[in-house]
């Protein structure tokens, strides 16, 4: 909070566990608007750069951040510091063949956009810049002539559209009224699933996410949901514009009374919206 200009943001680039950086000074805090979430960034990059064979042993790197993500007003940051000094570009951090790198990076970005906290991408990351960043040269804009890089740019644009459209993704609800794991423990298949919502009781406007971080196709994957109805896919990393709906079936899954069948392609992430409640006349 900036008392001199309430329309301005003051953001702390701070990498320790110093408490109350974004707490009101009247309550003993430092009064910053936001704080970079450096712990999340390090864990996120350590996980996403792993060969899929070893991801199951590092599963907690993607879940640990949720234990403290509401302790400050965080920004999830992938800054210039992560793509300089031989650290590789975001694209080249990803394992595997070129096609796998693009898929893995899309799924990583969707995880970032679903996770609580504001978002910060550094220039060039939105189209999968190949080289590390340098102030001595321009970005490699010519890459946008290549279909894979243009496709990445379009996907990030769609992520931003989704983020703006669904309040559950940006409403700064504190605590776990804004977030609920569906399954945080599927390390053997390296799959994560969770729900974002505006309040703890809000199911109508909630958004669900499922992430497959391996090249294995999961045609039989099922996800537990809290209520009956038809759930609609709103985005897939496959950039498939086909309208896909998932009909909830009765039957316990992930500790919930209903289940959705969501087949997953290699490295695919899916976002889906919850059924809207219609009032009877």
């Amino acid at each position: 909070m900036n008392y001199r200009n309430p329309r301005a943001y003051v953001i702390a680039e701070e990498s320790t566990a110093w408490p109350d950086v974004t707490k009101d000074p009247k309550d003993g805090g430092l009064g910053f608007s936001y704080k970079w979430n450096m712990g999340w960034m390090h864990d996120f990059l350590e996980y996403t750069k792993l060969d899929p064979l070893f991801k199951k042993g590092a599963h907690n790197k993607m879940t640990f951040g949720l234990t403290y993500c509401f302790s400050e007003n965080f920004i999830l940051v992938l800054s210039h510091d992560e793509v300089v000094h031989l650290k590789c570009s975001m694209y080249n951090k990803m394992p595997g063949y070129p096609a796998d790198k693009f898929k893995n990076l899309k799924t990583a970005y969707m995880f970032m956009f679903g996770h609580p906290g504001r978002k910060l991408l550094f220039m060039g990351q939105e189209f999968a810049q190949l080289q590390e960043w340098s102030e001595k040269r321009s970005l490699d804009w010519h890459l946008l002539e290549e279909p894979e890089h243009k496709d990445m740019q379009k996907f990030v644009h769609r992520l931003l559209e989704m983020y703006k459209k669904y309040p559950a993704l940006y409403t700064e609800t504190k605590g776990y009224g804004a977030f609920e794991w569906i399954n945080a423990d599927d390390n053997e298949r390296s799959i994560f699933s969770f729900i974002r919502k505006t309040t703890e009781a809000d199911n109508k406007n909630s958004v669900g996410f499922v992430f497959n971080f391996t090249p294995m196709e999961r045609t039989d994957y099922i996800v537990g949901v809290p209520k009956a109805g038809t759930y609609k896919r709103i985005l897939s990393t496959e950039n498939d514009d086909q309208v896909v709906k998932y009909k909830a079936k009765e039957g316990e899954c992930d500790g919930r009374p209903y289940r959705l069948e969501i087949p997953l392609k290699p490295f695919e992430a899916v976002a889906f919206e919850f059924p809207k409640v219609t009032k009877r006349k």
Side-chain angles (χ1 to χ4, degrees):
M1 60 209 71
N2 188 332
Y3 294 100
R4 293 186 178 182
N5 186 347
R7 298 175 63 187
Y9 293 107
V10 183
I11 301 170
E13 181 183 351
E14 201 276 335
S15 58
T16 73
W18 187 279
D20 301 330
V21 173
T22 57
K23 193 174 181 179
D24 195 311
K26 293 182 294 185
D27 299 320
L30 298 184
F32 283 86
S33 308
Y34 293 97
K35 173 183 174 178
W36 282 17
N37 194 335
M38 306 293 279
W40 171 88
M41 178 272 295
H42 286 297
D43 287 345
F44 174 80
L45 293 180
E46 283 297 312
Y47 180 85
T48 55
K49 74 182 185 182
L50 284 174
D51 184 293
L53 181 64
F54 303 108
K55 279 185 163 69
K56 62 183 178 181
H59 198 76
N60 66 314
K61 289 190 177 296
M62 295 292 266
T63 59
F64 179 64
L66 273 302
T67 65
Y68 63 84
C69 67
F70 299 111
S71 62
E72 299 275 7
N73 295 330
F74 279 121
I75 290 181
L76 308 183
V77 55
L78 298 174
S79 74
H80 67 287
D81 282 336
E82 315 325 316
V83 290
V84 292
H85 307 315
L86 303 180
K87 295 178 186 176
C88 297
S89 65
M90 286 299 299
Y91 168 84
N92 278 315
K93 291 181 192 296
M94 301 297 110
Y97 294 107
D100 293 336
K101 289 178 181 289
F102 282 108
K103 291 181 178 181
N104 202 39
L105 187 55
K106 283 182 179 180
T107 297
Y109 282 164
M110 190 185 282
F111 188 94
M112 176 186 186
F113 273 73
H115 192 288
R118 300 307 197 198
K119 326 298 175 189
L120 190 154
L121 291 177
F122 188 63
M123 57 186 181
Q125 293 175 356
E126 78 280 9
F127 62 83
Q129 168 93 0
L130 298 182
Q131 298 186 90
E132 289 187 338
W133 178 75
S134 172
E135 74 282 1
K136 298 178 181 179
R137 61 174 182 265
S138 170
L139 295 177
D140 295 335
W141 294 110
H142 64 275
L143 290 174
L144 289 171
E145 298 175 9
E146 302 293 332
E148 296 87 357
H149 294 273
K150 188 65 178 179
D151 177 69
M152 178 64 74
Q153 185 191 50
K154 289 180 179 178
F155 177 73
V156 172
H157 180 74
R158 295 181 71 180
L159 275 177
L160 290 166
E161 288 182 325
M162 178 183 72
Y163 185 75
K164 291 189 295 183
K165 181 178 179 180
Y166 292 91
L169 302 182
Y170 62 78
T171 301
E172 293 187 330
T173 303
K174 292 297 180 185
Y176 292 91
F179 181 92
E180 179 184 334
W181 282 112
I182 297 175
N183 190 335
D185 302 319
D186 196 354
N187 65 301
E188 286 298 322
R189 292 183 288 187
S190 298
I191 297 178
F192 304 86
S193 52
F194 57 73
I195 302 169
R196 291 299 310 279
K197 45 194 177 178
T198 54
T199 66
E200 192 164 356
D202 179 25
N203 280 322
K204 179 176 66 174
N205 298 303
S206 296
V207 178
F209 291 89
V210 186
F211 306 87
N212 177 14
F213 274 101
T214 75
M216 300 297 294
E217 187 171 14
R218 305 295 183 183
T219 58
D220 59 347
Y221 203 74
I222 57 174
V223 178
V225 288
K227 64 177 184 177
T230 299
Y231 296 69
K232 180 182 176 182
R233 190 180 72 180
I234 55 180
L235 186 61
S236 164
T237 51
E238 291 292 311
N239 272 3
D240 182 359
D241 291 326
Q242 181 181 359
V243 176
V244 176
K245 296 182 179 180
Y246 309 110
K247 181 70 173 179
K249 297 181 179 179
E250 194 169 357
E252 190 277 334
C253 180
D254 296 321
R256 293 164 178 82
Y258 296 91
R259 57 177 61 197
L260 303 180
E261 295 176 356
I262 302 183
L264 297 170
K265 295 180 180 178
F267 293 115
E268 184 179 13
V270 170
F272 57 91
E273 66 179 14
F274 276 46
K276 304 301 181 185
V277 177
T278 56
K279 295 182 179 181
R280 295 181 179 179
K281 296 183 179 179

